[in-house]
Amino acid sequence: MAEKRGVTIRELAEAAGVSIGTVSRALKGQPGLSEQTRAQVLGVAQRMGYDVGKLRTGKPRRMLFLYNRSIGSLATNPFYSYVLHGAETACREAGVPLSMMSVLGGEDIAVQVRRHEAEALLGAGYFDPEAMEAIRRCELPLVLVDHFYPGVRCVNDDNQLGAWLATRHLLEGGAKRVAAIFGPLAHHSVSLRAKGFRRALYEAGRLFDPDYEVTLDPSLEYRDAGRDAMRRLLELPEPPDAVFAYNDSTAIFAMEVCHEHGLRVPQDIRFIGYDDIEEAAHSKPPLSTVKMDKEALGHVAARALIEGDTAPNDASLPVELVVRESSRAPEPQPEAVAPRKGRRQPAAAAR
């Protein structure tokens, strides 16, 4: 039977009195539904003239990229722009349309998702438990990037290892007072980077000093929060001689403050960030960082949704230390050898 023009999954869900996710599962023949519910959905679809066989390949007809606007815009937090590009590439390769929706606190997420007529959700970044439950109530296939939630497929980089590599690099370069700037520790990736930072200090035999670990003030704009965190560190009785920032943007903001205070990077204070965004290589001086394939995060997540591989799992992609000028230890200067008294120095050879 030919599909009536304009019939959508949303309309089927409303007519059957079930969620969009339930309609999708019924049409794809997926488990998790009673036979009564499945038969009800298929019956409504048939009466409305919907081609019930067209979704049984398992590939979603439309994917929605969810981004939490509370963690900053894509302009101020460019990390997720790379993730989005990777997801878009995977969708383009598979012929699956991808749309994007930012999530704000207090919004009815389910209503917003229905307007996009999505059949699969890719959530990027941190979502608080309330938002996560609202997303899961949409009953659509879901994969998270740069986040972790029990019972959901997640794709992350090896955050703890990356922070450990960054901190160990500063310590091995001779830093005596290594500080860290973090975002909200409730965020999965941030909490793991904090663990990696502390682990490196512990293994180096350094006592953890809470004064040298600051978090961004959530009441401030993103750039202002990074600058404020660095000012707090510089106000310590013994300011740090090295800083690990939980992302590159924060490290760049912090270096700006040091330049304004007359400090030289890396001669007076060294920096290393995380993410290897494009700006890191072009900052002054070029910023050392921890690199991961940001586009691969989005690509892997989108492919999982396209292939129907959404069983709970926490995949971890590799990371790599990238050393640039901002964290290089000063070259040791050779000690001047004083001439021995009573002995004439040879004259320079004529050229």
Side-chain angles (χ1 to χ4, degrees), residues 144-200:
L144 299 176
V145 173
D146 195 39
H147 191 30
F148 175 80
Y149 201 79
V152 178
R153 183 169 182 81
C154 305
V155 181
N156 289 285
D157 64 273
D158 198 337
N159 290 283
Q160 187 168 340
L161 174 62
W164 178 81
L165 289 171
T167 309
R168 187 185 67 167
H169 166 67
L170 295 173
L171 293 167
E172 290 180 345
K176 304 300 182 184
R177 300 178 303 281
V178 182
I181 302 176
F182 293 117
L185 295 178
H187 295 196
H188 176 67
S189 60
V190 180
S191 65
L192 288 179
R193 292 174 193 183
K195 288 180 181 178
F197 169 74
R198 296 166 189 163
R199 173 186 154 201

Side-chain angles (χ1 to χ4, degrees), residues 55-318:
L55 284 181
R56 288 186 177 172
T57 60
K59 185 172 72 174
R61 290 197 304 166
R62 185 179 298 277
M63 190 182 301
L64 179 59
F65 185 97
L66 296 176
Y67 176 74
N68 190 345
R69 199 184 302 178
S70 68
I71 60 178
S73 68
L74 293 179
T76 59
N77 199 348
F79 172 85
Y80 295 107
S81 297
Y82 294 97
V83 175
L84 174 59
H85 188 265
E88 194 275 336
T89 300
C91 287
R92 182 184 296 271
E93 293 168 348
V96 176
L98 176 71
S99 57
M100 175 186 162
M101 184 183 92
S102 61
V103 174
L104 283 175
E107 289 184 334
D108 190 329
I109 294 175
V111 170
Q112 300 295 326
V113 168
R114 284 198 296 271
R115 288 174 180 169
H116 284 265
E117 298 182 1
E119 296 179 10
L121 303 176
L122 194 163
Y126 175 76
F127 296 92
D128 61 46
E130 182 179 356
M132 275 303 310
E133 286 307 307
I135 292 170
R136 297 194 71 183
R137 283 196 296 271
C138 295
E139 297 184 344
L140 292 173
L142 171 66
V143 175
L144 299 176
V145 173
D146 195 39
H147 191 30
F148 175 80
Y149 201 79
V152 178
R153 183 169 182 81
C154 305
V155 181
N156 289 285
D157 64 273
D158 198 337
N159 290 283
Q160 187 168 340
L161 174 62
W164 178 81
L165 289 171
T167 309
R168 187 185 67 167
H169 166 67
L170 295 173
L171 293 167
E172 290 180 345
K176 304 300 182 184
R177 300 178 303 281
V178 182
I181 302 176
F182 293 117
L185 295 178
H187 295 196
H188 176 67
S189 60
V190 180
S191 65
L192 288 179
R193 292 174 193 183
K195 288 180 181 178
F197 169 74
R198 296 166 189 163
R199 173 186 154 201
L201 291 178
Y202 174 80
E203 292 179 356
R206 303 290 182 89
L207 292 176
F208 172 69
D209 186 340
D211 288 342
Y212 286 92
E213 186 177 301
V214 298
T215 57
L216 302 185
D217 185 340
S219 68
L220 298 176
E221 292 294 326
Y222 186 51
R223 181 174 183 272
D224 294 336
R227 292 171 59 84
D228 169 75
M230 190 66 234
R231 291 191 193 98
R232 282 184 273 155
L233 289 173
L234 293 180
E235 290 171 357
L236 292 173
E238 290 187 286
D241 58 3
V243 175
F244 164 60
Y246 83 109
N247 65 23
D248 292 338
S249 296
T250 299
I252 292 170
F253 302 150
M255 285 198 299
E256 290 175 358
V257 172
C258 289
H259 292 319
E260 292 167 4
H261 281 71
L263 296 174
R264 300 168 300 165
V265 179
Q267 293 88 341
D268 300 320
I269 185 169
R270 281 171 270 167
F271 281 89
I272 189 166
Y274 202 112
D275 292 340
D276 195 30
I277 62 174
E278 185 176 354
E279 291 82 350
H282 303 290
S283 63
K284 295 183 179 180
L287 179 67
S288 296
T289 187
V290 175
K291 177 181 180 179
M292 93 289 294
D293 192 335
K294 299 171 285 298
E295 293 188 10
L297 290 171
H299 197 280
V300 168
R303 285 301 311 174
L305 288 166
I306 291 166
E307 296 168 2
D309 184 13
T310 57
N313 184 29
D314 186 18
S316 182
L317 302 189

Side-chain angles (χ1 to χ4, degrees), residues 9-22:
I9 286 186
R10 178 183 178 185
E11 291 168 339
L12 292 181
E14 292 173 348
V18 297
S19 70
I20 293 175
T22 297

